[in-house]
Amino acid sequence: MGTPSMLFSESPEDPFALGHGASAVLDDQGTVVGWSVRAQELLGYTAKEVIGHAWKDLLVDARDLHVARSAVVNAMRTGGWFGVLPLRHRDGHRVEMGFRARAITRDGDSQEWIMVGAPAAEVIAWQRDRALLDGLYRRSPIGLVTYGPDNRVIRVNRAIAKASGVPVEAPVGRRPREFMVDEDAGPAEERVRQVLETGEPWIFTEQSARTRHDPGRERMVSVSAFRMEDSSGRVLGVAETIEDVTQRYQARRRLTLLNEASARIGTSLDVTKTARELAEVAVDGLADYCSVDLLKPVTVGDEPPRSVGGPLFRVALAPPEHRIPFQEGEAVPLLPDSPQARCLAERRTILERLLSLRPEWYSMDRRRIEVALGLGVHSLIVVPLVARGLALGVVSLWRARHSEPFEDDDAAVAQEFSSRAAVCIDNARRFTQQQSTALTLQRSLLPSAASDLPAVEVACRYLPASGEPGIGGDWFDVIPLSGARVALVVGDVVGHGIHAAALMGRLRAAVRTLASLDLEPDEVIARLDDLVGLLAAELEANADGIPSAVEQVVGATCLYAVYDPVSRHCSLARAGHPPPLLSTPDGQVTMLDVPAGPPLGLGGLPFETCDHDLPEGSLLTLYTNGLLEARSGDIDAALENLRACLARPTDPMDRICQAVVEGLLPVGHVPSDDIALLIARTRVLPPEDVASWQLPLEATAAARARELTTGKLTEWGLTELAFTTELVASELVTNAYRYAAGPVTLRLIRAQCLICEVSDSSHTSPHLRRAHITDEGGRGLFLVAQLTERWGTRYSHDGKTVWTEQPLPPS
């Protein structure tokens, strides 16, 4: 049994709503017994004209009678009816009307029909809107959520329920924070609040929408929101359309990851740094944990073996996690049944979507399994690092408890950026190998740390250029000379790389050979200039159109200095090289005035030697131009900085040397040109350690030499060397008596060894020869060579000096 109110809607948009729909009441004979004002407006009949008449005779045209009868039959059978009927207006035109009809039983058995109607166009439009609304909630693939003014969910459609896995009724009456994870609920509630307050819609805003029901499942949605209002402007709430764009977001993220990988991986030629860049890229966009394990030879720049075996070496781990068994720098056992071993053996990517489904997973190292379970690790990708057909190592990517399992697309992306990284790692490995080779060459060419010399205390630095670390054309040398003297050398071959280093080695060897002849500095530079010219001509003939080799030789410069700790005398000559700085013990720093001379290799131009007497404890600083150009290229400012660093000559030598480097080189800056720095603190031999006598050139000179030698060695407590030394002195003085003219000078020096020198005015070179059995002489120099550790001859403008060295007896 129904009531009239059941036929009317409370919605103001409903055409059958009270005050909007036309109503009529028919008795069980079809006679009109009730007629509303709205019915009169729509059909033109007044209540007096209709009541008491049969509705079909008055309101239905004859041609539409069969339609009306059919509607009556259906209504009687079902107790109600809804549809469209064509009616006749009072003025005779046809009116399409939509009706709802319902039978009502009165007291007794009488029955009446309540009919509510509206223009058919309004009814059809309303039905279409109802169908659309129903479709949005029941069949639409796009999610729909409506919120009330209190920010609580009023209703969600089935698309939301299907995508989230949460029943339709679950979110109703709740706020987003009650069914979404906290990180995602905050933006959702703020969006609804802003739309409610401002009325400004949000269009296609992407955000994460993870639910508490499944927090590990990544879900990205595109949200559009607008405020709902009734006809009076009262705010009813907010409606949101939500489209799941997770796959599109993941695809975009993967492309972004590949682009980032290209930019972020391989920024240097360092194996470890490149591996760390790979791990950081992986955890930023794809995995929760990433480890990069390389074969041990790869980490040191060697060629990896063709057959993979033995442990791996963990080079990178991101993010840092102390619970993981193998940290950076540790060996990682390669278990035969592990995914990493299979990955390397088969040279293919291994994807383990769910590790819990792999029985062999639990047969691995128990320690690793326990840690993995503690971290919530559940999904794994292992990618081989292969370059030029050689396996370098593996990349392992892990996802933990709050992430979805890896998919095939994830494995494809991991393989793509790992392949790029493998090339970068291999390039870094090969560079490391070349650098190691170059460094070995460089170390073999540069002098080792200078031992304690009687003439000077030295400290040195070599800083390679940024272009090709470890190798260049700058060099320095400290060469012990006869008479306790020392030669200090700094040179520069323009250019970098192995070629420049090789040329530098040839020049350094030449300087050492020339220094062993005890030539004057200008003579050493002149002969070195001739050699460079010959090398340039040789390279030019064999350059095959490559002029750079010739330029590097022609651009060579050099500074050569000889210091005598007995006389404190220093002789210097330079060829196009920066002049040295002298720091006296009182802290005064000056630049020594040494004639510049042309760069080596130009030929035809003279070089000059200048002489200076240096106070004991002075600093003589030799350097290449890269030191002055390291900071800003301002030479004057660099020189002032250098002076300031050298103003404390009494500080330890290493501290002074380091202060110069730090003062002229910015922190962390790699110079653009090679830098060679050599600092020497002068020493003076005490007068009591030097004895010198001038002997007349007569037959008794040899006897006098033996007498003086024995006496001085007894005074020095070196009686063990008296016999050999007096024999040596006697033979050298005898040779001077026989072949020279003028006075003879005998000098003994007690330093790190015992030095015996005999000087005369002759420039004739003594020769060591093997005397025949019948010869009465010719055995003097042979005896000298046998009795001493070293001997030789040096020349000066006034003559020559024959010298010998003997080791001192242990104290």
Side-chain angles (χ1 to χ4, degrees):
M1 178 173 172
T3 62
S5 62
M6 295 176 60
L7 300 178
F8 296 95
S9 168
E10 295 181 359
S11 173
E13 287 80 14
D14 191 341
F16 300 113
L18 282 170
H20 186 73
S23 61
V25 181
L26 307 179
D27 61 15
D28 54 1
Q29 300 299 318
T31 302
V32 179
V33 296
W35 192 255
S36 71
V37 176
R38 181 59 176 161
Q40 179 179 336
E41 293 175 357
L42 294 176
L43 296 176
Y45 294 100
T46 65
K48 290 182 180 182
E49 292 175 321
V50 176
I51 293 175
H53 295 276
W55 72 279
K56 63 182 179 179
D57 294 338
L58 186 63
L59 300 175
V60 180
D61 194 273
R63 56 184 174 175
D64 298 321
L65 190 57
H66 66 286
V67 177
R69 287 175 177 170
S70 176
V72 171
V73 171
N74 288 333
M76 294 177 65
R77 185 173 65 248
T78 61
W81 179 82
F82 171 78
V84 176
L85 285 177
L87 298 182
R88 183 173 60 206
H89 193 272
R90 186 175 185 280
D91 60 11
H93 73 270
R94 199 175 187 195
V95 179
E96 295 282 342
M97 295 284 290
F99 281 100
R100 285 179 180 171
R102 178 64 63 87
I104 299 176
T105 302
R106 297 294 186 182
D107 295 336
D109 295 331
S110 63
Q111 190 178 52
E112 291 181 349
W113 292 87
I114 302 296
M115 300 184 68
V116 180
E122 294 183 11
V123 173
I124 293 173
W126 177 74
Q127 284 294 100
R128 188 164 49 242
D129 291 345
R130 287 292 302 272
L132 175 61
L133 187 61
D134 181 72
L136 286 175
Y137 277 103
R138 297 179 183 275
R139 289 178 290 277
S140 173
I142 298 177
L144 180 63
V145 181
T146 54
Y147 294 89
D150 59 355
N151 208 6
R152 295 182 182 272
V153 175
I154 298 174
R155 187 177 180 184
V156 301
N157 67 351
R158 292 182 179 178
I160 292 289
K162 181 179 179 181
S164 64
V166 177
V168 173
E169 65 278 2
V172 175
R174 303 166 69 187
R175 290 188 173 90
R177 73 171 70 97
E178 298 179 55
F179 56 86
M180 295 175 65
V181 298
D182 293 338
E183 294 87 348
D184 300 343
E189 291 191 353
E190 178 63 18
R191 180 177 59 251
V192 173
R193 185 190 64 79
Q194 289 190 21
V195 174
L196 278 171
E197 292 179 356
T198 67
E200 294 292 330
W202 286 50
I203 301 175
F204 300 131
T205 302
E206 287 193 5
Q207 78 152 81
S208 177
R210 294 166 295 169
T211 64
R212 295 183 182 274
H213 171 73
D214 189 7
R217 181 185 177 191
E218 183 180 42
R219 184 166 176 254
M220 288 297 297
V221 294
S222 176
V223 182
S224 295
F226 62 92
R227 189 167 70 183
M228 300 183 297
E229 302 174 358
D230 62 14
S231 57
S232 66
R234 181 168 59 96
V235 176
L236 302 176
V238 172
E240 289 184 340
T241 59
I242 299 176
E243 182 182 3
D244 192 325
V245 294
T246 304
Q247 292 185 350
R248 185 173 69 194
Y249 168 78
Q250 290 175 341
R252 187 168 66 243
R253 184 179 62 187
R254 292 180 183 117
L255 289 176
T256 301
L257 180 62
L258 290 178
N259 289 334
E260 289 184 357
S262 300
R264 294 172 57 185
I265 299 175
T267 59
S268 71
L269 289 172
D270 182 86
V271 172
T272 300
K273 184 176 180 180
T274 303
R276 287 175 179 163
E277 291 169 347
L278 168 58
E280 290 168 359
V281 166
V283 298
D284 281 350
L286 191 61
D288 294 318
Y289 298 98
C290 178
S291 62
V292 181
D293 304 326
L294 301 178
L295 296 171
K296 183 64 175 180
V298 176
T299 62
V300 294
D302 293 340
E303 193 85 0
R306 292 286 175 179
S307 58
V308 179
L312 298 173
F313 190 76
R314 178 142 297 170
V315 182
L317 175 64
E321 175 53 68
H322 69 278
R323 289 177 292 175
I324 293 179
F326 307 104
Q327 298 292 311
E328 291 183 359
E330 297 181 359
V332 181
L334 191 62
L335 303 178
D337 296 331
S338 66
Q340 287 77 9
R342 289 189 287 120
C343 173
L344 279 176
E346 301 171 13
R347 304 286 179 89
R348 68 178 181 88
T349 300
I350 302 294
L351 169 60
E352 301 287 3
R353 287 184 176 84
L354 293 174
L355 292 172
S356 59
L357 301 180
R358 303 290 297 185
E360 62 271 20
W361 169 255
Y362 296 98
S363 64
M364 291 174 54
D365 184 349
R366 299 306 306 172
R367 182 187 177 197
R368 281 194 256 187
I369 296 301
E370 291 173 1
V371 171
L373 294 177
L375 294 173
V377 169
H378 59 80
S379 191
L380 168 67
I381 296 176
V382 185
V383 185
L385 292 171
V386 179
R388 299 186 301 112
L390 297 175
L392 309 177
V394 295
V395 181
S396 302
L397 300 96
W398 313 83
R399 279 188 177 172
R401 57 173 59 90
H402 295 306
S403 300
E404 295 182 11
F406 286 117
E407 300 176 354
D408 290 335
D409 289 342
D410 296 321
V413 171
Q415 183 172 349
E416 178 66 23
F417 68 67
S418 295
S419 297
R420 298 180 186 181
V423 175
C424 296
I425 289 174
D426 189 56
N427 289 339
R429 178 198 65 79
R430 297 171 71 182
F431 175 78
T432 302
Q433 185 181 47
Q434 294 175 2
Q435 185 187 33
S436 177
T437 302
L439 285 172
T440 301
L441 172 63
Q442 187 80 19
R443 293 190 185 103
S444 68
L445 296 176
L446 290 174
S448 58
S451 58
D452 189 27
L453 300 173
V456 291
E457 177 188 1
V458 298
C460 53
R461 291 290 188 277
Y462 177 79
L463 302 174
S466 57
E468 202 164 343
I471 52 177
D474 291 12
W475 90 93
F476 59 87
D477 211 342
V478 181
I479 308 171
L481 300 178
S482 63
R485 298 170 305 135
V486 66
L488 305 173
V489 190
V490 170
D492 182 2
V493 174
V494 178
H496 314 290
I498 294 179
H499 183 68
L503 291 173
M504 174 268 287
R506 298 177 73 174
L507 295 183
R508 177 172 176 259
V511 171
R512 276 192 162 257
T513 301
L514 294 172
S516 68
L517 299 176
D518 267 320
L519 303 176
E520 292 293 324
D522 60 337
E523 185 69 18
V524 171
I525 294 293
R527 296 196 182 188
L528 191 63
D529 178 63
D530 294 338
L531 174 62
V532 170
L534 293 174
L535 290 175
E538 176 186 326
L539 287 177
E540 185 176 6
N542 300 317
D544 295 329
I546 304 175
S548 60
V550 179
E551 292 173 1
Q552 290 188 40
V553 179
V554 173
T557 64
C558 184
L559 171 64
Y560 185 86
V562 175
Y563 173 70
D564 187 344
V566 176
S567 63
R568 298 185 294 105
H569 188 73
C570 183
S571 300
L572 306 96
R574 65 186 177 113
H577 203 84
L581 294 178
L582 176 66
S583 307
T584 54
D586 59 3
Q588 297 295 318
V589 182
T590 58
M591 181 176 289
L592 291 182
D593 184 15
V594 181
L600 298 174
L602 295 184
L605 297 175
F607 299 94
E608 298 181 46
T609 295
C610 70
D611 299 316
H612 295 273
D613 289 331
L614 307 183
E616 183 179 5
S618 298
L619 294 183
L620 189 63
T621 303
L622 290 71
Y623 52 89
T624 56
N625 57 0
L627 181 67
L628 301 181
E629 298 170 356
R631 182 175 288 273
S632 61
D634 188 340
I635 303 298
D636 293 334
L639 275 173
E640 288 304 316
N641 288 339
L642 182 57
R643 291 175 190 270
C645 296
L646 297 173
R648 301 178 62 180
T650 59
D651 286 355
M653 291 294 290
D654 276 338
R655 183 184 301 174
I656 296 174
C657 207
Q658 188 60 32
V660 170
V661 173
E662 294 175 354
L664 275 76
L665 223 67
V667 176
H669 176 72
V670 180
S672 58
D673 192 12
D674 304 319
I675 294 175
L677 173 65
L678 178 62
I679 303 178
R681 176 182 285 139
T682 60
R683 292 170 171 167
V684 176
L685 290 180
E688 59 269 19
D689 287 341
V690 180
S692 180
W693 305 276
Q694 191 170 26
L695 304 175
L697 200 60
E698 56 188 29
T700 60
R704 179 61 178 162
R706 289 194 297 271
E707 179 185 348
L708 294 171
T709 299
T710 302
K712 179 54 66 175
L713 293 183
T714 302
E715 178 186 335
W716 284 347
L718 298 176
T719 55
E720 296 180 31
L721 300 177
F723 175 77
T724 56
T725 306
E726 72 175 25
L727 181 58
V728 167
S730 175
E731 291 295 334
L732 295 180
V733 170
T734 300
N735 281 346
Y737 172 73
R738 289 179 178 177
Y739 305 111
V744 176
T745 300
L746 171 65
R747 186 168 72 164
L748 296 178
I749 300 174
R750 181 177 62 176
Q752 291 178 321
C753 60
L754 178 62
I755 302 170
C756 178
E757 297 180 343
V758 174
S759 303
D760 59 51
S761 59
S762 172
H763 287 86
T764 303
S765 175
H767 293 285
L768 178 67
R769 66 185 181 88
R770 185 177 296 276
H772 295 290
I773 297 177
T774 58
D775 291 343
E776 294 183 2
R779 297 177 177 84
L781 283 180
F782 181 79
L783 289 174
V784 169
Q786 297 299 313
L787 295 174
T788 61
E789 188 173 72
R790 289 201 315 151
W791 76 278
T793 305
R794 67 174 181 268
Y795 297 88
S796 65
H797 298 295
D798 301 327
K800 70 177 184 296
T801 298
V802 182
W803 54 269
T804 66
E805 291 181 359
Q806 301 176 74
L808 297 176
S811 56

